[in-house]
């Protein structure tokens, strides 16, 4: 697919590879490959990566269809609720039912699409062209704080932090039904098994979850959860493994809650060491209305 671009005042003085990547939503690796293949021309001449562009320069880019469709496309229709932003990081409040990033080329309606629409420079941040600077993931039905980086340098530092135990403070709020101690640590390995994970498998990944009960009434308990590690479905699988599955989480044995189309799990706060300042930054997300309503029903004093 051939693309024709005209350099305006907003792009003038930038490196040509950055201009191409931002305009077409391509990752740094894909842009590099285009220049190596001679697929980028400026004013009818083969362009070299790193060249500075000027107002009025005419760019022509020949992008293979597979590459053109891989990146997260801008989607301004999806509301992006920003909790905190600065030159390096963006914390957003993800709603339940919204995927974090596209799974298929051209897919819309994800957090990544909304990020690219508001921050075009993030289209080239990350190793996967669909990432749009995202530093971690939340399940589709989990709401709460999600972090993305606005620069490659910030993204690399945040990704490294998420890969280390206790380097990032990840706190959740869950409503469970079942017997549960007032507090404790769940240290049970988890293994992938299709669309879910299995607890207690000898060759599973190490997984550690800390919890404390904030309030209880009958068999229901509102639980503060802190992740030490980060494994797929960790909070859901761990609470189910100790006999207290999350309300509404049918995949892990949770009781159905009338009127609630999701499970009761919310990423209430995320704390990181800022990649530029080095200061600790914690960002919080308020409990969504649909969860507040359920909480008021089962534990009215905890709302």
């Amino acid at each position: 697919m051939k693309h024709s671009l005209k350099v305006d005042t907003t792009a003038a003085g930038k490196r040509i590879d950055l201009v191409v990547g931002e305009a077409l939503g391509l990752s740094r690796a894909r842009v590099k490959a285009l220049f190596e293949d001679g697929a980028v021309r400026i004013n009818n001449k083969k362009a070299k990566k790193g060249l500075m562009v000027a107002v009025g320069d005419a760019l022509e880019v020949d992008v293979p269809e597979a590459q053109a469709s891989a990146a997260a496309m801008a989607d301004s229709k999806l509301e992006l609720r920003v909790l905190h932003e600065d030159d390096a990081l963006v914390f957003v409040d993800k709603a339940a039912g919204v995927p974090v990033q596209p799974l298929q080329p051209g897919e819309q309606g994800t957090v990544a699409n909304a990020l690219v629409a508001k921050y075009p420079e993030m289209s080239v941040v990350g190793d996967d062209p669909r990432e749009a600077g995202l530093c971690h993931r939340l399940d589709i039905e989990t709401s709460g704080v999600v972090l993305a980086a606005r620069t490659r340098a910030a993204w690399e530092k945040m990704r490294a932090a998420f890969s280390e135990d206790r380097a990032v403070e990840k706190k959740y709020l869950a409503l469970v039904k079942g017997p549960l101690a007032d507090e404790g640590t769940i240290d049970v390995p988890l293994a992938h098994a299709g669309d879910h994970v299995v607890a207690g498998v000898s060759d599973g990944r190490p997984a550690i979850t800390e919890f404390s009960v904030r309030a209880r009434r009958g068999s229901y308990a509102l639980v503060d959860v802190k992740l030490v590690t980060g494994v797929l479905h960790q909070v859901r699988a761990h609470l189910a493994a100790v006999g207290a599955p999350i309300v509404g989480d049918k995949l892990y044995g949770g009781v159905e809650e009338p009127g609630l189309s999701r499970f009761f799990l919310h990423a209430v706060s995320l704390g990181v060491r800022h990649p530029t300042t080095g200061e600790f930054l914690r960002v919080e997300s308020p409990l969504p209305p649909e969860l507040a309503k359920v909480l008021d029903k089962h534990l009215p004093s905890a709302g």
Side-chain angles (χ1 to χ4, degrees):
M1 180 181 297
K2 291 187 180 297
H3 298 267
S4 296
L5 308 172
K6 199 77 169 181
V7 177
D8 58 19
T9 54
T10 61
K14 291 185 178 181
R15 285 174 31 176
I16 188 172
D17 50 328
L18 297 181
V19 173
V20 170
E22 291 174 4
L24 302 183
L26 301 176
S27 69
R28 181 177 297 184
R30 291 181 181 274
V31 171
K32 179 182 178 182
L34 289 176
F35 279 90
E36 292 175 346
D37 293 340
V40 183
R41 299 178 66 81
I42 181 169
N43 302 326
N44 295 317
K45 296 180 180 180
K46 182 178 176 180
K48 293 184 178 180
K49 179 183 175 183
L51 178 71
M52 298 298 181
V53 298
V55 174
D57 281 342
L59 310 184
E60 294 181 354
V61 187
D62 190 2
V63 184
E65 189 65 32
Q67 290 190 20
S69 61
M73 300 171 61
D75 183 359
S76 58
K77 297 187 296 295
L78 180 66
E79 179 186 4
L80 189 68
R81 292 178 286 187
V82 177
L83 298 169
H84 170 88
E85 67 173 348
D86 55 47
D87 290 341
L89 303 177
V90 179
F91 292 78
V92 300
D93 197 8
K94 187 186 91 65
V98 177
V100 173
Q101 71 175 49
L103 294 179
Q104 302 296 329
E107 182 181 348
Q108 297 267 324
T110 76
V111 174
N113 299 124
L115 283 169
V116 171
K118 186 173 177 63
Y119 310 97
E121 73 275 11
M122 292 172 65
S123 66
V124 294
V125 177
D127 288 339
D128 188 321
R130 301 169 300 167
E131 282 177 324
L134 288 162
C135 302
H136 64 124
R137 308 287 182 268
L138 287 182
D139 294 341
I140 291 179
E141 296 306 326
T142 300
S143 54
V145 188
V146 174
L147 171 64
R150 299 182 67 178
T151 68
R152 176 75 189 193
W155 182 84
E156 290 177 346
K157 288 184 178 180
M158 290 297 95
R159 288 292 290 170
F162 273 94
S163 68
E164 299 176 14
D165 293 352
R166 300 184 187 275
V168 175
E169 180 189 86
K170 297 168 282 189
K171 293 185 177 181
Y172 294 75
L173 194 62
L175 181 67
V176 305
K177 185 176 184 181
L180 187 67
D182 288 341
E183 60 182 23
T185 298
I186 307 171
D187 186 354
V188 179
L190 299 173
H192 287 214
D195 65 345
H196 64 292
V197 297
V198 178
V201 180
S202 59
D203 60 348
R205 288 183 58 187
I208 302 174
T209 301
E210 299 174 350
F211 71 89
S212 62
V213 174
R214 181 184 297 190
R216 25 169 121 249
R217 184 185 183 190
S219 58
Y220 286 90
L222 182 65
V223 187
D224 287 308
V225 182
K226 183 178 180 180
L227 291 188
V228 177
T229 57
V231 179
L232 177 72
H233 295 185
Q234 180 174 319
V235 177
R236 301 165 63 189
H238 267 177
L239 289 172
V242 297
I246 295 172
V247 170
D249 192 0
K250 293 182 286 186
L251 182 62
Y252 290 97
V255 64
E256 185 176 353
E257 175 64 32
L260 185 66
S261 60
R262 53 170 296 196
F263 46 79
F264 197 120
L265 182 63
H266 181 65
V268 68
S269 71
L270 184 64
V272 300
R273 188 69 59 184
H274 195 279
T276 303
T277 67
E279 296 181 356
F280 186 77
L281 174 64
R282 180 187 293 111
V283 176
E284 299 182 352
S285 165
L287 195 66
E290 71 272 16
L291 298 188
K293 182 178 180 180
V294 172
L295 184 60
D296 186 59
K297 171 185 174 182
H298 293 292
L299 291 95
S301 62

